[in-house]
Amino acid sequence: MGIAQSPPPKTLPLSADEGGKKRKSYETLNRRRRWHGSGKEMEPLLLSDAEEIAALYRELSQFPSLSSACIGPEVTTQYGGKYCNIYTEWSQRDLERAENVKFCRQYLIFHDSQSIVYSSPSGNCTEIKGELLSRDSPSGAQKAVLRKTSNSKGEEKQFLEVWEKNRKVKSIELTALEKHGQVYEDDQFGCLAWSHSETHLLYVAEKKRPKAESFFKPKPPEMNSEDEQVKAERQDKAIKGEQYVFYEDWGETLVAKSTPVLCVLDIESNNVSVLEGVPEHISPGQAFWTPGDTGVLFTGWWHEPFRLGLRHCTNRRSALFHVDLTGGRCELLSDDTRAIWSPRLSPDQCRIVYLENKASGPHQQCSRLCMYDWYTKLTSVIVEIVPRPGKDEFTGIYCTALPELCWAADSQRVVLDTAQRSHQELIVVDTLSGSVCSLTKGSHLGSWALLTIDRDLLVARFSTPNCPPKLMVAFLPPAGKESEVGWVCLEEASPVEGITWGVRKLQPPPEQDNLQYAGLDFESILLRPTQVPESGKYPLVVSPHGGPHSVYTTSWTLYPAALCRMGFAVLLVNYRGSLGFGQDSVDSLPGNVGSQDVKDVQFCVEQVLQEEPLDPQRVTLLGGSHGGFLSCHLIGQYPGTYKACVARNPVVNMASMVASTDIPDWCLTEAGLLYDQAALPDPRHWTEMLLHSPMQYVDKVQTPVLLMIGDEDKRVPPKQGLEYYHALKARGVPTRMLWYPGNNHALSGVEAEADGFMNIALWFLQHLK
């Protein structure tokens, strides 16, 4: 399937004030840079002063990220013109408050249903406080908000609010009702869905647990009163000896989320009910109403015999289910031997599309796009898995989630974003023909993400490695004319001065080819300071991604941009096994981790050192998770290449990790072994996992290593870092470890992220002198 090209986006010019502010900001940064030389040839020096580095980080960290968008109802003016409101949510790091601040901004769009006539921001930004979830009703007349508050004692409460026009018409304290536990607000299970009649709200919460008390708690004195309070206490009697029962959760980022239940709020009566009929071995989520509001559709994940981590794992056994509200009957609608997620109902309420993977193997893979017809009860595969794409052809779907609104108004086409090699593109899929067309290929080098589509108005995010996110809008052209899409920029972001970048394609040498999957290639993204050195060469930071089945795309990322502005070149490596290059590439890596991926990174480094003005005596490594696994492998297998290494929550010993991680299947699968939840430990498997791990090369390590560890990491347990730390210290290798309380695998807390960057920069500077 070929991909059509589209023209470059139209951009709206910056106002004089906005342009002046941007220029002033970058002039300030440039004054902080130190230069030497004369004339046109000036050689940039690495920023080495901690205060200057902190000022640079502060400047770049203030660029906000665009997280979601919602399109309001269409309004027709008295003159026949049409306009609508676009509501957007952003987040920004606040270093002083040590938190991510969420805020909203709205825009007015005047249009003729085919193109945008005029657009403008509507007022300034407003910070959002306490909102966990929010959804507009189908008509746009009402808005539901799930809000978290804390009282003077620090006790958290959750409220479900309904807003209408300029007032709040409902505020229900869900915590006080005690019908269920905490409401799920995550993007794995969470939902807040209006019924089509706008009379009920559907959401997911933790199942109410029985009250428990000690066997030795004294009995309360006998009471003669038979008032309502006493009756209630008798009905909710505590169970003795149950207070220490273990409840297994769904792992990384889903801590304390164990048994979700589907809940419905009747807006008129304020009554909350927990839906019955969901099988006990199933955890429901991603729910929405059936046509006619007679039932609920949801994704159900198997949690027997025990739960495996779900975050970034689209290979967990799951299926599409339907609960009939009239009879309480639960019906299976999809294959129950696979993994499915992100079911989305078409505007005409006839069809449901969803993504599907194998329920085994790599955690992320090339996915199918499937469709279930509500009336014929037939399931069809719309887009198949792509084993190996041809040159410039569609490479397949690699998606962690479909946008909540992804259908075109014709209820025939679906729009989504997906990695295509090292770019993220928007594609439109015709569900009748299965044809795939790109809405963004050739428009601008960079990466796109779809935020929403409503009445064929597309709202998207666009960024590049040297340009923070822009807010883009366009109308989806009629079927067959998608390549004529014309993008308009609503919120401009100027490129960061001093950074240039490009994508490099690499073919492994014949001796490193995978005979089972011969001929695969891979790519890297190289960021470089724009100023060409007069005599010297740039120091290089090499960064392989985690996963390993993930991908670096040509999008804005804070750490690489900040390192490049410091004066480093940064090499982001998409080794074989990365997403976006076909399923064969994904399948080529299991059983070859620690070898194929390591050789790909090293080959990429050697090539770029030959072809670019880079200093081979000043090469460093930066990686997290599987990227940390590769960094530790590289300093052991190629000890003379790298002068410093930073590993963030790295995997160092798969054999010791397998019994303590939320993803034990990962350790076996990536080592080329089959995973069985009921299997007993096998010494041969432990040996195989150890042989694929960086720990076997620790005796050869000479490179100074900085370890960054999150103490609440359930994916790569903190003891992995401790194990490597002790092994390096015992061998006299310069080693330092930073331990971040309250941080999980991503180390994404604002304070930990900022401190982490400073320590990375200073560690590299210290060991490159």
Side-chain angles (χ1 to χ4, degrees):
M1 291 176 284
I3 300 183
Q5 294 192 356
S6 57
K10 304 170 186 175
T11 58
L12 301 180
L14 283 170
S15 68
D17 287 345
E18 288 174 320
K21 288 177 182 176
K22 297 289 185 185
R23 284 191 295 273
K24 184 176 180 182
S25 171
Y26 296 126
E27 286 168 5
T28 302
L29 276 178
N30 283 330
R31 283 199 300 270
R32 290 179 183 142
R33 293 295 302 269
R34 294 184 298 163
W35 306 84
H36 78 269
S38 61
K40 295 181 180 179
E41 296 294 332
M42 300 178 68
E43 182 178 350
L45 292 174
L46 276 172
L47 284 184
S48 58
D49 180 78
E51 288 188 7
E52 290 182 343
I53 297 170
L56 171 66
Y57 180 85
R58 179 184 296 277
E59 191 84 35
L60 297 183
S61 70
Q62 289 177 349
F63 287 113
S65 60
L66 176 56
S67 55
S68 66
C70 177
I71 302 172
E74 186 174 270
V75 179
T76 302
T77 69
Q78 58 180 329
Y79 304 107
K82 297 177 182 178
Y83 71 90
C84 62
N85 179 276
I86 295 181
Y87 173 90
T88 61
E89 291 187 359
W90 307 67
S91 67
Q92 179 181 334
R93 300 167 180 88
D94 189 323
L95 298 184
E96 280 66 35
R97 285 162 53 177
E99 62 178 319
N100 278 304
V101 176
K102 191 163 77 167
F103 62 91
C104 66
R105 195 175 194 193
Q106 302 188 60
Y107 304 82
L108 281 176
I109 302 290
F110 290 84
H111 63 87
D112 59 8
S113 298
Q114 294 180 335
S115 60
I116 294 161
V117 177
Y118 174 77
S119 62
S120 172
S122 177
N124 291 319
C125 304
T126 304
E127 186 173 349
I128 303 170
K129 292 280 191 178
E131 281 194 12
L132 301 177
L133 292 172
S134 66
R135 294 291 184 273
D136 283 354
S137 65
S139 69
Q142 300 181 91
K143 182 177 183 177
V145 175
L146 175 67
R147 193 179 306 278
K148 179 180 70 174
T149 65
S150 297
N151 61 20
S152 57
K153 297 179 182 179
E155 298 169 336
E156 287 191 355
K157 296 182 178 182
Q158 288 184 326
F159 291 82
L160 194 50
E161 304 168 349
V162 178
W163 294 76
E164 186 178 322
K165 295 182 179 177
N166 65 336
R167 66 192 182 108
K168 186 194 298 184
V169 296
K170 293 280 183 180
S171 184
I172 301 162
E173 186 185 343
L174 298 176
T175 312
L177 295 179
E178 295 189 346
K179 294 290 185 74
H180 51 69
Q182 292 289 296
V183 178
Y184 286 30
E185 82 295 346
D186 60 89
D187 55 7
Q188 184 71 48
F189 292 97
C191 68
L192 185 57
W194 285 88
S195 62
H196 303 293
S197 63
E198 302 191 2
T199 59
H200 293 76
L201 282 166
L202 171 67
Y203 60 93
V204 177
E206 181 67 18
K207 185 178 181 181
K208 183 183 177 182
R209 294 177 184 172
K211 291 184 178 179
E213 64 182 22
S214 168
F215 285 109
F216 304 98
K217 183 178 180 179
K219 293 182 179 180
E222 291 293 331
M223 299 180 68
N224 296 322
S225 171
E226 292 295 331
D227 59 24
E228 293 300 319
Q229 181 179 355
V230 174
K231 289 180 181 178
E233 289 175 354
R234 288 179 176 174
Q235 291 172 356
D236 198 17
K237 188 177 180 181
I239 302 173
K240 292 188 179 292
E242 295 283 315
Q243 67 269 41
Y244 300 115
V245 170
F246 171 67
Y247 291 92
E248 183 180 64
D249 61 35
W250 281 101
E252 179 71 16
T253 75
L254 297 170
V255 174
K257 293 176 179 176
S258 176
T259 311
V261 290
L262 301 174
C263 306
V264 173
L265 167 69
D266 185 320
I267 297 173
E268 181 64 29
S269 68
N270 291 355
N271 182 56
V272 170
S273 56
V274 177
L275 298 189
E276 297 180 353
V278 177
E280 291 189 359
H281 63 280
I282 294 297
S283 286
Q286 301 179 357
F288 56 96
W289 297 88
T290 63
D293 295 339
T294 58
V296 169
L297 292 152
F298 65 90
T299 302
W301 286 269
W302 271 252
H303 55 232
E304 296 295 342
F306 55 83
R307 293 161 180 78
L308 294 169
L310 265 183
R311 182 68 170 170
H312 300 307
C313 301
T314 56
N315 67 334
R316 301 301 183 218
R317 186 184 176 191
S318 48
L320 182 65
F321 291 89
H322 166 226
V323 170
D324 183 357
L325 297 183
T326 57
R329 182 173 58 92
C330 190
E331 178 185 11
L332 177 69
L333 302 184
S334 68
D335 188 338
D336 66 353
T337 65
R338 302 184 70 84
I340 75 103
W341 71 101
S342 291
R344 303 289 187 252
L345 182 65
S346 62
D348 63 6
Q349 301 182 31
C350 293
R351 288 168 286 278
I352 301 158
V353 291
Y354 58 88
L355 295 167
E356 181 186 271
N357 274 354
K358 292 186 299 183
S360 61
H363 283 171
Q364 296 194 71
Q365 313 166 22
C366 185
S367 304
R368 284 174 165 173
L369 182 68
C370 300
M371 185 171 70
Y372 176 81
D373 191 296
W374 179 250
Y375 293 101
T376 67
K377 309 301 181 187
L378 296 176
T379 300
S380 54
V381 177
I382 306 303
V383 179
E384 258 293 0
I385 293 167
V386 177
R388 188 175 304 205
K391 184 179 180 182
D392 297 326
E393 286 188 350
F394 173 63
T395 67
I397 294 176
Y398 308 86
C399 220
T400 54
L402 292 174
E404 186 173 337
L405 296 178
C406 61
W407 282 92
D410 57 16
S411 292
Q412 178 178 323
R413 294 175 294 165
V414 173
V415 184
L416 61 134
D417 56 71
T418 178
Q420 297 290 287
R421 299 182 71 88
S422 297
H423 299 279
Q424 187 91 358
E425 293 187 17
L426 301 188
I427 62 169
V428 57
V429 179
D430 189 308
T431 59
L432 294 183
S433 66
S435 64
V436 178
C437 175
S438 174
L439 293 172
T440 53
K441 187 174 183 180
S443 58
H444 262 193
L445 290 176
S447 287
W448 297 74
L450 180 66
L451 301 176
T452 191
I453 176 174
D454 193 4
R455 304 182 298 275
D456 283 346
L457 180 58
L458 297 156
V459 184
R461 179 180 67 234
F462 171 78
S463 70
T464 70
N466 69 337
C467 184
K470 299 180 180 184
L471 176 62
M472 311 293 290
V473 292
F475 272 96
L476 179 66
K481 297 183 178 181
E482 288 91 350
S483 61
E484 298 175 10
V485 64
W487 291 97
V488 173
C489 183
L490 285 188
E491 191 69 51
E492 183 65 76
S494 298
V496 174
E497 293 180 1
I499 300 175
T500 185
W501 62 274
V503 177
R504 303 171 59 88
K505 185 176 178 179
L506 298 108
Q507 194 78 41
E511 66 273 15
Q512 293 179 16
D513 206 5
N514 185 319
L515 297 181
Q516 187 177 357
Y517 299 95
L520 295 173
D521 62 6
F522 64 100
E523 290 181 348
S524 66
I525 304 168
L526 179 66
L527 285 72
R528 256 182 35 193
T530 53
Q531 196 70 38
V532 180
E534 182 179 324
S535 55
K537 297 181 178 182
Y538 299 116
L540 177 65
V541 177
V542 179
S543 184
H545 63 70
H549 308 292
S550 178
V551 63
Y552 278 129
T553 59
T554 53
S555 55
W556 171 260
T557 311
L558 178 58
Y559 273 22
L563 287 167
C564 195
R565 286 288 292 145
M566 278 184 64
F568 288 98
V570 182
L571 184 66
L572 309 175
V573 186
N574 288 325
Y575 43 86
R576 283 173 291 173
S578 301
L579 300 180
F581 294 80
Q583 183 62 26
D584 280 2
S585 181
V586 173
D587 289 338
S588 74
L589 189 53
N592 296 305
V593 293
S595 174
Q596 177 180 292
D597 44 5
V598 174
K599 290 175 181 175
D600 280 357
V601 177
Q602 184 65 17
F603 175 71
C604 183
V605 171
E606 291 172 357
Q607 289 293 109
V608 78
L609 287 175
Q610 292 176 18
E611 299 168 4
E612 300 285 344
L614 302 171
D615 188 348
Q617 300 304 313
R618 293 191 295 168
V619 182
T620 64
L621 279 164
L622 169 61
S625 192
H626 190 84
F629 169 94
L630 292 177
S631 297
C632 295
H633 259 298
L634 287 158
I635 60 176
Q637 294 190 42
Y638 303 94
T641 303
Y642 304 98
K643 296 299 182 285
C645 173
V646 178
R648 295 159 48 88
N649 285 326
V651 176
V652 299
N653 186 345
M654 298 162 80
S656 62
M657 175 178 156
V658 69
S660 55
T661 175
D662 70 330
I663 51 166
D665 62 309
W666 181 90
C667 301
L668 289 144
T669 298
E670 297 304 334
L673 306 167
L674 293 176
Y675 175 71
D676 180 355
Q677 285 183 285
L680 294 173
D682 188 328
R684 292 170 299 176
H685 290 174
W686 281 337
T687 300
E688 194 67 26
M689 286 185 282
L690 179 60
L691 291 175
H692 283 85
S693 299
M695 190 58 77
Q696 67 164 320
Y697 297 103
V698 72
D699 281 334
K700 298 180 180 179
V701 174
Q702 304 166 12
T703 305
V705 177
L706 173 62
L707 294 162
M708 295 181 169
I709 307 298
D711 78 340
E712 294 186 4
D713 189 348
K714 299 195 76 171
R715 182 119 311 173
V716 179
K719 288 193 175 180
Q720 283 284 294
L722 275 171
E723 185 177 344
Y724 202 58
Y725 175 79
H726 290 147
L728 293 173
K729 294 285 283 185
R731 288 157 178 79
V733 178
T735 310
R736 187 170 183 240
M737 183 162 65
L738 301 176
W739 191 273
Y740 293 102
N743 275 260
N744 57 24
H745 188 57
L747 291 176
S748 58
V750 171
E751 201 167 17
E753 189 184 41
D755 180 82
F757 178 80
M758 292 300 299
N759 276 283
I760 290 167
L762 296 175
W763 186 258
F764 288 163
L765 291 170
Q766 175 187 344
H767 295 285
L768 290 182
K769 288 182 179 178

